[in-house]
Amino acid sequence: MVPSALFAALLALLLCLATEPAGASGFHGCATQKLENRGVFKLKTSHAKCRLARQVAFARARGDETPKGFDCVTGSGGNLTPFDCMRRDQTVRFSLEG
């Protein structure tokens, strides 16, 4: 009886540790001061590497409507224009100055 209760408690603990917190979205940050100096702010990516995210952001800043095959949606903003660029399961989010 005791070993099965211990096993159940251990299994419950492992399941709790394996799940993401309620607010987690799967995005990781790629923002740097160097990017901000070049007009790219709040760079985040999901299922893509930061290098690809930077390439997408800089290509979009140069006017490419579909950088690297990503479809970009423009949001509304004040001094910063937000973008969500998606390709299959990959997503790149960033804001451009201007």
Side-chain angles (χ1 to χ4, degrees):
M1 177 101 166
V2 174
S4 63
L6 183 60
F7 177 75
L10 182 60
L11 182 61
L13 177 65
L14 290 175
L15 287 175
C16 288
L17 293 175
T19 59
E20 291 184 353
S25 63
F27 281 85
H28 63 273
C30 298
T32 65
Q33 186 63 47
K34 187 175 180 179
L35 287 172
E36 291 181 3
N37 291 343
R38 296 182 65 190
V40 177
F41 296 87
K42 302 177 191 172
L43 184 62
K44 295 180 182 179
T45 183
S46 175
H47 297 99
K49 296 192 181 283
C50 287
R51 180 179 180 187
L52 178 61
R54 287 190 301 270
Q55 291 172 346
V56 170
F58 287 131
R60 186 65 188 96
R62 288 189 306 271
D64 189 348
E65 297 289 326
T66 57
K68 298 279 188 181
F70 282 77
D71 292 318
C72 295
V73 177
T74 306
S76 61
N79 294 338
L80 299 176
T81 304
F83 290 90
D84 277 346
C85 298
M86 293 150 283
R87 177 177 77 179
R88 294 183 303 267
D89 66 332
Q90 299 173 316
T91 305
V92 176
R93 288 185 178 164
F94 56 93
S95 295
L96 295 177
E97 198 170 40

mmCIF file of all heavy atoms in Angstrom, residues 19-57:
data_model
loop_
_atom_site.group_PDB
_atom_site.id
_atom_site.type_symbol
_atom_site.label_atom_id
_atom_site.label_comp_id
_atom_site.label_asym_id
_atom_site.label_seq_id
_atom_site.Cartn_x
_atom_site.Cartn_y
_atom_site.Cartn_z
ATOM 1 N N THR A 19 4.772 20.249 -16.901
ATOM 2 C CA THR A 19 3.839 21.153 -17.561
ATOM 3 C C THR A 19 4.322 22.590 -17.472
ATOM 4 O O THR A 19 5.032 22.975 -16.555
ATOM 5 C CB THR A 19 2.430 21.060 -16.927
ATOM 6 O OG1 THR A 19 2.537 21.395 -15.558
ATOM 7 C CG2 THR A 19 1.856 19.667 -17.090
ATOM 8 N N GLU A 20 3.907 23.395 -18.460
ATOM 9 C CA GLU A 20 4.273 24.807 -18.472
ATOM 10 C C GLU A 20 3.327 25.590 -17.581
ATOM 11 O O GLU A 20 2.181 25.200 -17.393
ATOM 12 C CB GLU A 20 4.180 25.364 -19.894
ATOM 13 C CG GLU A 20 5.219 24.823 -20.834
ATOM 14 C CD GLU A 20 5.144 25.464 -22.200
ATOM 15 O OE1 GLU A 20 4.212 26.220 -22.459
ATOM 16 O OE2 GLU A 20 6.034 25.205 -23.000
ATOM 17 N N PRO A 21 3.771 26.721 -17.059
ATOM 18 C CA PRO A 21 2.878 27.577 -16.292
ATOM 19 C C PRO A 21 1.728 28.071 -17.166
ATOM 20 O O PRO A 21 1.827 28.090 -18.394
ATOM 21 C CB PRO A 21 3.766 28.750 -15.866
ATOM 22 C CG PRO A 21 5.162 28.272 -16.017
ATOM 23 C CD PRO A 21 5.136 27.207 -17.071
ATOM 24 N N ALA A 22 0.650 28.491 -16.545
ATOM 25 C CA ALA A 22 -0.554 28.888 -17.279
ATOM 26 C C ALA A 22 -0.289 29.995 -18.294
ATOM 27 O O ALA A 22 -0.875 30.018 -19.356
ATOM 28 C CB ALA A 22 -1.629 29.330 -16.294
ATOM 29 N N GLY A 23 0.611 30.932 -18.021
ATOM 30 C CA GLY A 23 0.845 32.049 -18.917
ATOM 31 C C GLY A 23 1.916 31.802 -19.960
ATOM 32 O O GLY A 23 2.180 32.662 -20.791
ATOM 33 N N ALA A 24 2.552 30.655 -19.946
ATOM 34 C CA ALA A 24 3.655 30.401 -20.877
ATOM 35 C C ALA A 24 3.122 30.251 -22.293
ATOM 36 O O ALA A 24 2.142 29.570 -22.525
ATOM 37 C CB ALA A 24 4.423 29.163 -20.463
ATOM 38 N N SER A 25 3.786 30.867 -23.244
ATOM 39 C CA SER A 25 3.299 30.844 -24.613
ATOM 40 C C SER A 25 4.238 30.106 -25.553
ATOM 41 O O SER A 25 3.928 29.969 -26.729
ATOM 42 C CB SER A 25 3.095 32.280 -25.112
ATOM 43 O OG SER A 25 4.337 32.950 -25.119
ATOM 44 N N GLY A 26 5.370 29.656 -25.079
ATOM 45 C CA GLY A 26 6.292 28.949 -25.947
ATOM 46 C C GLY A 26 7.239 29.861 -26.701
ATOM 47 O O GLY A 26 7.999 29.396 -27.529
ATOM 48 N N PHE A 27 7.205 31.153 -26.458
ATOM 49 C CA PHE A 27 8.092 32.100 -27.117
ATOM 50 C C PHE A 27 9.346 32.305 -26.284
ATOM 51 O O PHE A 27 9.298 32.263 -25.066
ATOM 52 C CB PHE A 27 7.407 33.460 -27.307
ATOM 53 C CG PHE A 27 6.468 33.488 -28.476
ATOM 54 C CD1 PHE A 27 5.167 33.055 -28.340
ATOM 55 C CD2 PHE A 27 6.890 33.920 -29.707
ATOM 56 C CE1 PHE A 27 4.300 33.061 -29.416
ATOM 57 C CE2 PHE A 27 6.038 33.939 -30.796
ATOM 58 C CZ PHE A 27 4.737 33.506 -30.646
ATOM 59 N N HIS A 28 10.460 32.506 -26.963
ATOM 60 C CA HIS A 28 11.673 32.887 -26.250
ATOM 61 C C HIS A 28 12.211 34.174 -26.880
ATOM 62 O O HIS A 28 12.021 34.428 -28.059
ATOM 63 C CB HIS A 28 12.718 31.761 -26.235
ATOM 64 C CG HIS A 28 13.244 31.367 -27.568
ATOM 65 N ND1 HIS A 28 12.633 30.430 -28.353
ATOM 66 C CD2 HIS A 28 14.328 31.786 -28.259
ATOM 67 C CE1 HIS A 28 13.318 30.289 -29.475
ATOM 68 N NE2 HIS A 28 14.339 31.101 -29.450
ATOM 69 N N GLY A 29 12.827 34.978 -26.048
ATOM 70 C CA GLY A 29 13.289 36.290 -26.471
ATOM 71 C C GLY A 29 14.603 36.244 -27.224
ATOM 72 O O GLY A 29 15.488 35.460 -26.905
ATOM 73 N N CYS A 30 14.709 37.093 -28.227
ATOM 74 C CA CYS A 30 15.936 37.227 -29.022
ATOM 75 C C CYS A 30 16.398 38.678 -29.059
ATOM 76 O O CYS A 30 17.277 39.027 -29.834
ATOM 77 C CB CYS A 30 15.698 36.738 -30.441
ATOM 78 S SG CYS A 30 15.262 35.004 -30.590
ATOM 79 N N ALA A 31 15.777 39.529 -28.265
ATOM 80 C CA ALA A 31 16.071 40.961 -28.303
ATOM 81 C C ALA A 31 17.449 41.248 -27.705
ATOM 82 O O ALA A 31 17.867 40.622 -26.742
ATOM 83 C CB ALA A 31 15.007 41.736 -27.539
ATOM 84 N N THR A 32 18.151 42.190 -28.330
ATOM 85 C CA THR A 32 19.434 42.669 -27.820
ATOM 86 C C THR A 32 19.490 44.173 -28.009
ATOM 87 O O THR A 32 18.730 44.748 -28.799
ATOM 88 C CB THR A 32 20.627 42.032 -28.566
ATOM 89 O OG1 THR A 32 20.596 42.453 -29.928
ATOM 90 C CG2 THR A 32 20.598 40.519 -28.482
ATOM 91 N N GLN A 33 20.408 44.805 -27.322
ATOM 92 C CA GLN A 33 20.588 46.247 -27.481
ATOM 93 C C GLN A 33 21.030 46.578 -28.902
ATOM 94 O O GLN A 33 20.615 47.580 -29.473
ATOM 95 C CB GLN A 33 21.612 46.773 -26.471
ATOM 96 C CG GLN A 33 21.743 48.283 -26.476
ATOM 97 C CD GLN A 33 20.458 48.979 -26.071
ATOM 98 O OE1 GLN A 33 19.837 48.602 -25.085
ATOM 99 N NE2 GLN A 33 20.042 49.971 -26.825
ATOM 100 N N LYS A 34 21.830 45.723 -29.502
ATOM 101 C CA LYS A 34 22.303 45.941 -30.869
ATOM 102 C C LYS A 34 21.133 45.965 -31.855
ATOM 103 O O LYS A 34 21.095 46.803 -32.761
ATOM 104 C CB LYS A 34 23.298 44.841 -31.255
ATOM 105 C CG LYS A 34 23.969 45.044 -32.577
ATOM 106 C CD LYS A 34 25.027 43.962 -32.815
ATOM 107 C CE LYS A 34 25.704 44.159 -34.152
ATOM 108 N NZ LYS A 34 26.743 43.150 -34.393
ATOM 109 N N LEU A 35 20.164 45.066 -31.669
ATOM 110 C CA LEU A 35 18.971 45.062 -32.528
ATOM 111 C C LEU A 35 18.159 46.334 -32.325
ATOM 112 O O LEU A 35 17.679 46.929 -33.293
ATOM 113 C CB LEU A 35 18.099 43.844 -32.233
ATOM 114 C CG LEU A 35 18.597 42.500 -32.720
ATOM 115 C CD1 LEU A 35 17.712 41.379 -32.183
ATOM 116 C CD2 LEU A 35 18.626 42.458 -34.230
ATOM 117 N N GLU A 36 17.995 46.734 -31.071
ATOM 118 C CA GLU A 36 17.233 47.948 -30.792
ATOM 119 C C GLU A 36 17.897 49.174 -31.409
ATOM 120 O O GLU A 36 17.212 50.075 -31.889
ATOM 121 C CB GLU A 36 17.037 48.117 -29.290
ATOM 122 C CG GLU A 36 16.100 47.081 -28.710
ATOM 123 C CD GLU A 36 15.857 47.235 -27.226
ATOM 124 O OE1 GLU A 36 16.371 48.195 -26.616
ATOM 125 O OE2 GLU A 36 15.147 46.380 -26.681
ATOM 126 N N ASN A 37 19.218 49.205 -31.420
ATOM 127 C CA ASN A 37 19.921 50.315 -32.056
ATOM 128 C C ASN A 37 19.673 50.345 -33.560
ATOM 129 O O ASN A 37 19.804 51.397 -34.189
ATOM 130 C CB ASN A 37 21.427 50.224 -31.794
ATOM 131 C CG ASN A 37 21.780 50.487 -30.341
ATOM 132 O OD1 ASN A 37 20.985 51.042 -29.584
ATOM 133 N ND2 ASN A 37 22.952 50.053 -29.939
ATOM 134 N N ARG A 38 19.323 49.197 -34.139
ATOM 135 C CA ARG A 38 19.029 49.110 -35.579
ATOM 136 C C ARG A 38 17.530 49.157 -35.872
ATOM 137 O O ARG A 38 17.111 48.911 -36.996
ATOM 138 C CB ARG A 38 19.656 47.853 -36.156
ATOM 139 C CG ARG A 38 21.193 47.914 -36.063
ATOM 140 C CD ARG A 38 21.876 46.730 -36.646
ATOM 141 N NE ARG A 38 21.654 46.640 -38.083
ATOM 142 C CZ ARG A 38 21.977 45.588 -38.825
ATOM 143 N NH1 ARG A 38 22.553 44.546 -38.255
ATOM 144 N NH2 ARG A 38 21.740 45.579 -40.120
ATOM 145 N N GLY A 39 16.697 49.460 -34.843
ATOM 146 C CA GLY A 39 15.269 49.675 -35.049
ATOM 147 C C GLY A 39 14.385 48.452 -34.902
ATOM 148 O O GLY A 39 13.206 48.502 -35.241
ATOM 149 N N VAL A 40 14.907 47.330 -34.399
ATOM 150 C CA VAL A 40 14.104 46.120 -34.186
ATOM 151 C C VAL A 40 13.943 45.922 -32.682
ATOM 152 O O VAL A 40 14.918 45.753 -31.963
ATOM 153 C CB VAL A 40 14.768 44.878 -34.817
ATOM 154 C CG1 VAL A 40 13.949 43.634 -34.530
ATOM 155 C CG2 VAL A 40 14.946 45.069 -36.310
ATOM 156 N N PHE A 41 12.685 45.936 -32.210
ATOM 157 C CA PHE A 41 12.398 45.850 -30.783
ATOM 158 C C PHE A 41 11.560 44.618 -30.473
ATOM 159 O O PHE A 41 10.796 44.139 -31.302
ATOM 160 C CB PHE A 41 11.632 47.106 -30.328
ATOM 161 C CG PHE A 41 12.434 48.366 -30.478
ATOM 162 C CD1 PHE A 41 12.431 49.064 -31.677
ATOM 163 C CD2 PHE A 41 13.197 48.839 -29.429
ATOM 164 C CE1 PHE A 41 13.172 50.226 -31.826
ATOM 165 C CE2 PHE A 41 13.939 49.999 -29.566
ATOM 166 C CZ PHE A 41 13.931 50.695 -30.766
ATOM 167 N N LYS A 42 11.700 44.110 -29.245
ATOM 168 C CA LYS A 42 10.880 43.023 -28.708
ATOM 169 C C LYS A 42 10.878 41.782 -29.601
ATOM 170 O O LYS A 42 9.847 41.158 -29.799
ATOM 171 C CB LYS A 42 9.443 43.493 -28.492
ATOM 172 C CG LYS A 42 9.297 44.685 -27.577
ATOM 173 C CD LYS A 42 7.860 45.099 -27.495
ATOM 174 C CE LYS A 42 7.729 46.444 -26.811
ATOM 175 N NZ LYS A 42 6.357 46.945 -26.895
ATOM 176 N N LEU A 43 12.010 41.394 -30.135
ATOM 177 C CA LEU A 43 12.101 40.232 -31.012
ATOM 178 C C LEU A 43 11.924 38.948 -30.200
ATOM 179 O O LEU A 43 12.658 38.704 -29.248
ATOM 180 C CB LEU A 43 13.444 40.221 -31.744
ATOM 181 C CG LEU A 43 13.665 39.110 -32.767
ATOM 182 C CD1 LEU A 43 12.655 39.215 -33.905
ATOM 183 C CD2 LEU A 43 15.073 39.184 -33.319
ATOM 184 N N LYS A 44 10.908 38.157 -30.573
ATOM 185 C CA LYS A 44 10.613 36.880 -29.931
ATOM 186 C C LYS A 44 10.324 35.853 -31.013
ATOM 187 O O LYS A 44 9.878 36.202 -32.104
ATOM 188 C CB LYS A 44 9.381 36.987 -29.033
ATOM 189 C CG LYS A 44 9.539 37.887 -27.853
ATOM 190 C CD LYS A 44 8.269 37.907 -27.046
ATOM 191 C CE LYS A 44 8.390 38.854 -25.878
ATOM 192 N NZ LYS A 44 7.153 38.903 -25.102
ATOM 193 N N THR A 45 10.548 34.586 -30.686
ATOM 194 C CA THR A 45 10.300 33.538 -31.662
ATOM 195 C C THR A 45 9.746 32.293 -30.987
ATOM 196 O O THR A 45 9.992 32.043 -29.816
ATOM 197 C CB THR A 45 11.586 33.207 -32.445
ATOM 198 O OG1 THR A 45 11.289 32.226 -33.428
ATOM 199 C CG2 THR A 45 12.686 32.718 -31.549
ATOM 200 N N SER A 46 8.997 31.544 -31.754
ATOM 201 C CA SER A 46 8.480 30.257 -31.313
ATOM 202 C C SER A 46 8.774 29.247 -32.406
ATOM 203 O O SER A 46 8.416 29.463 -33.569
ATOM 204 C CB SER A 46 6.970 30.342 -31.071
ATOM 205 O OG SER A 46 6.443 29.075 -30.748
ATOM 206 N N HIS A 47 9.458 28.186 -32.054
ATOM 207 C CA HIS A 47 9.822 27.106 -32.976
ATOM 208 C C HIS A 47 10.752 27.569 -34.095
ATOM 209 O O HIS A 47 10.711 27.048 -35.205
ATOM 210 C CB HIS A 47 8.576 26.440 -33.573
ATOM 211 C CG HIS A 47 7.726 25.781 -32.543
ATOM 212 N ND1 HIS A 47 6.599 26.384 -32.031
ATOM 213 C CD2 HIS A 47 7.846 24.594 -31.917
ATOM 214 C CE1 HIS A 47 6.051 25.574 -31.151
ATOM 215 N NE2 HIS A 47 6.788 24.488 -31.053
ATOM 216 N N ALA A 48 11.547 28.581 -33.844
ATOM 217 C CA ALA A 48 12.544 29.059 -34.816
ATOM 218 C C ALA A 48 13.751 29.584 -34.031
ATOM 219 O O ALA A 48 13.628 29.983 -32.880
ATOM 220 C CB ALA A 48 11.965 30.158 -35.699
ATOM 221 N N LYS A 49 14.882 29.579 -34.676
ATOM 222 C CA LYS A 49 16.105 30.080 -34.043
ATOM 223 C C LYS A 49 16.157 31.601 -34.132
ATOM 224 O O LYS A 49 15.554 32.208 -35.012
ATOM 225 C CB LYS A 49 17.329 29.473 -34.711
ATOM 226 C CG LYS A 49 17.397 27.961 -34.526
ATOM 227 C CD LYS A 49 18.736 27.448 -34.921
ATOM 228 C CE LYS A 49 18.818 25.959 -34.766
ATOM 229 N NZ LYS A 49 18.980 25.481 -33.428
ATOM 230 N N CYS A 50 16.913 32.210 -33.231
ATOM 231 C CA CYS A 50 17.035 33.670 -33.203
ATOM 232 C C CYS A 50 17.656 34.203 -34.485
ATOM 233 O O CYS A 50 17.294 35.285 -34.946
ATOM 234 C CB CYS A 50 17.838 34.110 -31.984
ATOM 235 S SG CYS A 50 16.941 33.943 -30.428
ATOM 236 N N ARG A 51 18.571 33.465 -35.079
ATOM 237 C CA ARG A 51 19.199 33.922 -36.329
ATOM 238 C C ARG A 51 18.149 34.098 -37.416
ATOM 239 O O ARG A 51 18.134 35.113 -38.120
ATOM 240 C CB ARG A 51 20.266 32.926 -36.763
ATOM 241 C CG ARG A 51 20.941 33.326 -38.040
ATOM 242 C CD ARG A 51 22.000 32.340 -38.450
ATOM 243 N NE ARG A 51 22.614 32.786 -39.697
ATOM 244 C CZ ARG A 51 23.467 32.094 -40.382
ATOM 245 N NH1 ARG A 51 23.857 30.908 -39.953
ATOM 246 N NH2 ARG A 51 23.961 32.563 -41.495
ATOM 247 N N LEU A 52 17.251 33.126 -37.563
ATOM 248 C CA LEU A 52 16.177 33.227 -38.546
ATOM 249 C C LEU A 52 15.246 34.393 -38.203
ATOM 250 O O LEU A 52 14.822 35.140 -39.090
ATOM 251 C CB LEU A 52 15.390 31.921 -38.615
ATOM 252 C CG LEU A 52 14.200 31.892 -39.563
ATOM 253 C CD1 LEU A 52 14.644 32.137 -41.002
ATOM 254 C CD2 LEU A 52 13.471 30.567 -39.444
ATOM 255 N N ALA A 53 14.954 34.570 -36.930
ATOM 256 C CA ALA A 53 14.085 35.669 -36.501
ATOM 257 C C ALA A 53 14.692 37.022 -36.871
ATOM 258 O O ALA A 53 13.990 37.920 -37.349
ATOM 259 C CB ALA A 53 13.839 35.588 -34.996
ATOM 260 N N ARG A 54 16.005 37.170 -36.675
ATOM 261 C CA ARG A 54 16.673 38.424 -37.062
ATOM 262 C C ARG A 54 16.597 38.647 -38.565
ATOM 263 O O ARG A 54 16.332 39.769 -39.029
ATOM 264 C CB ARG A 54 18.128 38.404 -36.601
ATOM 265 C CG ARG A 54 18.312 38.561 -35.115
ATOM 266 C CD ARG A 54 19.777 38.770 -34.745
ATOM 267 N NE ARG A 54 20.644 37.674 -35.169
ATOM 268 C CZ ARG A 54 20.926 36.600 -34.435
ATOM 269 N NH1 ARG A 54 20.398 36.478 -33.236
ATOM 270 N NH2 ARG A 54 21.733 35.660 -34.892
ATOM 271 N N GLN A 55 16.803 37.598 -39.346
ATOM 272 C CA GLN A 55 16.736 37.716 -40.805
ATOM 273 C C GLN A 55 15.344 38.147 -41.249
ATOM 274 O O GLN A 55 15.200 39.000 -42.136
ATOM 275 C CB GLN A 55 17.119 36.389 -41.460
ATOM 276 C CG GLN A 55 18.570 36.033 -41.299
ATOM 277 C CD GLN A 55 18.887 34.625 -41.787
ATOM 278 O OE1 GLN A 55 18.001 33.799 -42.008
ATOM 279 N NE2 GLN A 55 20.178 34.335 -41.939
ATOM 280 N N VAL A 56 14.322 37.570 -40.642
ATOM 281 C CA VAL A 56 12.937 37.928 -40.969
ATOM 282 C C VAL A 56 12.671 39.394 -40.626
ATOM 283 O O VAL A 56 12.112 40.150 -41.433
ATOM 284 C CB VAL A 56 11.939 37.005 -40.246
ATOM 285 C CG1 VAL A 56 10.512 37.510 -40.367
ATOM 286 C CG2 VAL A 56 12.049 35.583 -40.790
ATOM 287 N N ALA A 57 13.079 39.817 -39.449
ATOM 288 C CA ALA A 57 12.827 41.198 -39.007
ATOM 289 C C ALA A 57 13.543 42.210 -39.900
ATOM 290 O O ALA A 57 12.948 43.213 -40.312
ATOM 291 C CB ALA A 57 13.261 41.370 -37.553
#
